[in-house]
Amino acid sequence: MTKNAKRISATVLAAVVVMSLSGCSNWSKRDRNTAIGAGAGAIGGSVLTNGSGLGTIGGAAVGGIIGHHID
């Protein structure tokens, strides 16, 4: 996969995550923070590890945990 394709894929994934979270208006603030943290962590993990699946999953896990603890 070329760098441009990876960047486009990451942008599309981020847009899908943002749009899907907008449908979760009945979630508690903690649930929303967890989901947002997991999404941001997944994107960050993917970018930092050049698209590694393990890095993406690890980033999502760490981001979800951090988002869960933010008030």
Side-chain angles (χ1 to χ4, degrees):
M1 206 179 224
T2 65
K3 285 187 179 185
N4 285 338
K6 285 183 182 180
R7 287 180 183 160
I8 291 170
S9 296
T11 303
V12 169
L13 177 63
V16 168
V17 168
V18 168
M19 287 188 296
S20 66
L21 289 176
S22 67
C24 304
S25 62
N26 61 344
W27 284 10
S28 70
K29 186 173 182 177
R30 177 165 277 177
D31 291 341
R32 280 184 295 212
N33 287 343
T34 302
I36 291 169
I43 292 170
S46 178
V47 169
L48 291 174
T49 61
N50 294 323
S52 165
L54 186 59
T56 302
I57 293 170
V62 171
I65 291 169
I66 292 171
H68 182 74
H69 290 290
I70 294 177
D71 285 336

